[in-house]
């Protein structure tokens, strides 16, 4: 069973972060929302308060790292040294690294997407340093899963369910939420 941590910072895109948490939990995948802000209450980009499950300092070592986009949430995630260390460690261990919207640029600017196919929010492609930008809603390449934004959040989450469980679970989940996938 995989352990997923979704990292939250003030200004994160609520739909991108919470859709992933919701659908992974519906699929029975252990998923924690982890605050990097030193407090559990996080305020999203649309001023929606969200209560994280854990602080960064309290987290368990994840099998999967998920970064939602949003501004300035992505900038907070990018600036967090502990998260950067955890991302590099996870990549070296071949763990799944997922990001949506502006957040794939974090992996790009860390040099982790060199030679890989990836996508991100339109207009931020130049920050996917060394990556082969793709226009698809969700791109999987090796241990990286990237996606474009709010409109692709369900497809992003269902792709993670497919990888972490199986395609049948993802299809069943899509049907249960009346999503044509």
């Amino acid at each position: 069973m995989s352990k997923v941590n979704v990292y939250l910072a003030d200004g994160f895109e609520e739909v991108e972060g919470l859709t992933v948490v919701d659908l992974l939990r519906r699929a029975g995948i252990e998923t924690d929302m982890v605050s990097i802000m030193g407090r559990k209450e996080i305020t999203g980009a649309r001023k929606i308060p969200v209560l994280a499950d854990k602080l960064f300092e309290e987290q368990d070592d994840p099998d999967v790292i998920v970064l939602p986009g949003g501004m300035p949430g992505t900038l907070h995630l990018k600036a967090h040294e502990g998260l950067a260390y955890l991302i590099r460690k996870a990549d070296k261990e071949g763990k799944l690294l997922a990001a949506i919207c502006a957040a794939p640029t974090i992996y790009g600017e860390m040099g982790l997407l060199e030679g890989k196919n990836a996508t991100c929010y339109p207009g931020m492609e130049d920050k996917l340093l060394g990556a082969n930008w793709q226009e698809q809603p969700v791109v999987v390449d090796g241990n990286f899963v990237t996606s474009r934004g709010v409109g692709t959040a369900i497809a992003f989450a269902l792709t993670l369910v497919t990888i972490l469980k199986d395609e049948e679970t993802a299809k069943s989940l899509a049907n249960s939420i009346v999503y044509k996938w």
Side-chain angles (χ1 to χ4, degrees):
M1 174 67 73
S2 295
K3 170 77 172 86
V4 179
N5 284 357
V6 178
Y7 292 89
L8 303 181
D10 286 338
F12 82 100
E13 176 53 62
E14 295 94 337
V15 172
E16 295 164 2
L18 298 178
T19 298
V20 170
V21 173
D22 180 290
L23 294 181
L24 292 182
R25 287 181 179 178
R26 286 178 194 239
I29 298 167
E30 185 181 353
T31 305
D32 281 337
M33 296 181 291
V34 178
S35 167
I36 67 155
M37 302 302 296
R39 57 183 149 67
K40 286 189 177 180
E41 187 170 304
I42 302 298
T43 303
R46 306 293 163 256
K47 307 298 181 216
I48 300 170
V50 175
L51 192 61
D53 300 304
K54 296 180 178 180
L55 298 176
F56 186 84
E57 299 74 21
E58 303 169 335
Q59 71 178 315
D60 300 319
D61 194 26
D63 300 308
V64 180
I65 290 175
V66 178
L67 305 179
M71 286 295 176
T74 297
L75 300 177
H76 291 308
L77 293 174
K78 192 178 297 189
H80 194 276
E81 291 178 13
L83 181 59
Y85 171 81
L86 192 63
I87 290 168
R88 288 190 190 285
K89 179 177 176 278
D91 184 47
K92 284 180 184 155
E93 294 171 358
K95 293 182 176 181
L96 193 63
L97 294 163
I100 184 170
C101 192
T105 66
I106 295 169
Y107 300 147
E109 290 180 346
M110 292 176 78
L112 302 178
L113 296 177
E114 186 72 38
K116 295 192 177 291
N117 295 319
T119 195
C120 63
Y121 189 76
M124 303 190 94
E125 300 86 359
D126 63 328
K127 293 185 171 141
L128 295 178
L129 303 179
N132 304 310
W133 180 78
Q134 307 288 307
E135 195 171 351
Q136 289 100 337
V138 182
V139 176
V140 179
D141 192 337
N143 62 319
F144 287 89
V145 180
T146 55
S147 190
R148 300 196 69 199
V150 169
T152 64
I154 293 176
F156 177 62
L158 290 172
T159 299
L160 293 174
V161 171
T162 300
I163 293 167
L164 300 173
K165 284 264 184 144
D166 55 56
E167 191 171 342
E168 212 39 56
T169 301
K171 284 181 182 178
S172 177
L173 182 54
N175 288 335
S176 77
I177 64 168
V178 194
Y179 180 76
K180 186 173 181 167
W181 189 48

